[in-house]
Amino acid sequence: MLRELIDHSPDLKRLFEEGFQLEWIGGHLVVRHIPYVTIEKKVKYGVLITNLRVSNSRADFDNNHQIYFIGEAPCHADGTPIEALSLNAMSMDLGNGLIANFHFSNKPSTGYVDYYHKISRYVEILEHQALAIDGSVIARPHLPLKDDSPDSVFQYFDYNSSRAGINAANQKLAKQKIGIIGLGGSGSYILDFVSKTQVAEIHLFDADVFMTHNAFRAPGAASLEDLNEELKKVDYHARKYSTMHKHIIPHAEYITSDNIHLLNDLSFAFLSMDSSEVKETIIFYLIVHGIPFVDVGMAVIKVNDQLLGQVRTTLVTPQQNDHWRERISTSRADQDEYATNIQVAELNASNAVQAVLMWKKYFGFYQDLTHDFNSVFDINTGTINNEDQTSICRVYPLSA
């Protein structure tokens, strides 16, 4: 698998992280989107192909300085052939649909060190001439690259983590099975953020239909066609986000005492549901089974055509769970300060941001010096009150 090769080969990893469009086809390293100049002094894009020797899932450079090319004869900016490439016109079938048009030979006095050195040198020769005609061309487009590794949860390679150098931090979340109970405004934003992490599975629980009012407080922009399909919320969002994350599992049902066992294998849960009697059942179940969770809620009221209120986020863990009754409403009959029904997209997003931050802090992705288990954002003052602080370690061990 190309992903495994990149992970184990520093030279290929460097090419990947710089944005080259790589493929591994039939024993060849294929590098696409290489700008060059034709004899008509036009800029086009070609393909470089080199033999790729592999040993123990790692690229093992074979010291071969020659390379194949798919495209027209590469030239200088003035349309004259590039002699440094020792152009050899040919038509060679390399297998798997790769038919080379040219064979290049350019060897530095000390030879090539590895595949990065070899590829980047040939790219430099071709790209330099193309840039003289069009300064906007680039051989490192950072185009999406399909990730077909069975161990990857993404449909395409995660350039962001490699570029930012946060792969080690991301691995702290990698084995987790996440449950999002309630796919309303806040729940859908939670999904948006969690789907961009390396968690193993994301389970969605909600029986409601995705309707027009939901579209105005959910991430993205639902089309009229989307709304006319009258999909369940979980199916609508699973379809949207499965284009990025491979393991989003919709459950078009409410959690009740009859199916609460569906939560058994979760590593962490997000509760983004209305207050109800079953919510208390869910909370007790999660606590008894040692499953940490975050509950979100907001209270927004209208006064003189202005909105004010609070957005609350509460973390409950196996180590700290005696505070939840004072913070979380579980009955519609309660006169709870978070029980109103006005929702606005940015408040839902803010609630989701706080929930995901608490989750990531708990598992050590972010540094946490205060260990807050309850956070309340006041809209009209812009203040955030962090409460229920503790010195208890927040790192929750995951089973393999």
Side-chain angles (χ1 to χ4, degrees), residues 172-218:
K172 298 178 181 180
L173 311 173
K175 296 179 182 179
Q176 296 188 31
K177 296 181 180 180
I178 301 298
I180 304 176
I181 304 171
L183 262 289
S186 299
S188 59
Y189 275 101
I190 290 170
L191 170 60
D192 185 85
F193 302 137
V194 175
S195 67
K196 296 172 176 65
T197 70
Q198 297 178 14
V199 296
E201 296 176 3
I202 307 173
H203 293 262
L204 312 178
F205 300 93
D206 200 312
D208 289 346
V209 172
F210 186 77
M211 303 178 71
T212 303
H213 68 278
N214 300 121
F216 282 90
R217 59 190 197 215

Side-chain angles (χ1 to χ4, degrees), residues 78-311:
D78 61 5
T80 59
I82 302 176
E83 298 84 358
L85 292 175
S86 300
L87 293 178
N88 178 22
M90 59 183 298
S91 180
M92 177 175 286
D93 190 344
L94 302 176
N96 298 284
L98 299 174
I99 300 177
N101 305 115
F102 289 91
H103 181 260
F104 300 160
S105 177
N106 179 275
K107 184 179 181 180
S109 58
T110 57
Y112 291 111
V113 175
D114 55 21
Y115 289 108
Y116 175 83
H117 187 201
K118 178 178 179 178
I119 295 298
S120 59
R121 173 56 182 160
Y122 277 107
V123 168
E124 180 184 15
I125 294 172
L126 298 170
E127 184 183 45
H128 180 72
Q129 301 304 320
L131 286 170
I133 294 177
D134 182 353
S136 67
V137 299
I138 187 170
R140 302 160 181 80
H142 289 279
L143 295 175
L145 183 61
K146 182 178 179 181
D147 193 341
D148 56 2
S149 168
D151 298 326
S152 173
V153 300
F154 295 123
Q155 302 287 3
Y156 42 87
F157 276 55
D158 178 10
Y159 279 111
N160 180 64
S161 295
S162 57
R163 288 181 59 154
I166 58 173
N167 279 320
N170 278 329
Q171 283 298 309
K172 298 178 181 180
L173 311 173
K175 296 179 182 179
Q176 296 188 31
K177 296 181 180 180
I178 301 298
I180 304 176
I181 304 171
L183 262 289
S186 299
S188 59
Y189 275 101
I190 290 170
L191 170 60
D192 185 85
F193 302 137
V194 175
S195 67
K196 296 172 176 65
T197 70
Q198 297 178 14
V199 296
E201 296 176 3
I202 307 173
H203 293 262
L204 312 178
F205 300 93
D206 200 312
D208 289 346
V209 172
F210 186 77
M211 303 178 71
T212 303
H213 68 278
N214 300 121
F216 282 90
R217 59 190 197 215
S223 68
L224 189 60
E225 291 74 19
D226 290 331
L227 295 171
N228 284 331
E229 286 189 71
E230 297 185 334
L231 295 172
K232 296 289 188 179
K233 288 179 180 177
V234 294
D235 294 324
Y236 168 77
H237 288 296
R239 184 172 71 182
K240 290 288 185 181
Y241 286 95
S242 290
T243 58
M244 183 176 192
H245 198 289
K246 295 177 182 177
H247 306 306
I248 297 178
I249 303 151
H251 303 267
E253 54 189 315
Y254 301 117
I255 293 295
T256 67
S257 56
D258 294 327
N259 65 358
I260 200 167
H261 63 276
L262 294 174
L263 309 181
N264 281 358
D265 295 330
L266 296 182
S267 309
F268 194 93
F270 291 93
L271 274 58
S272 47
M273 56 188 295
D274 293 333
S275 296
S276 64
E277 282 71 18
V278 74
K279 187 173 185 178
E280 182 170 334
T281 302
I282 294 172
I283 289 173
F284 276 126
Y285 189 89
L286 294 173
I287 291 174
V288 168
H289 286 76
I291 302 172
F293 65 91
V294 163
D295 180 80
V296 299
M298 66 177 68
V300 181
I301 60 175
K302 185 173 68 173
V303 177
N304 296 328
D305 290 326
Q306 291 184 315
L307 302 183
L308 66 151
Q310 297 177 320
V311 176

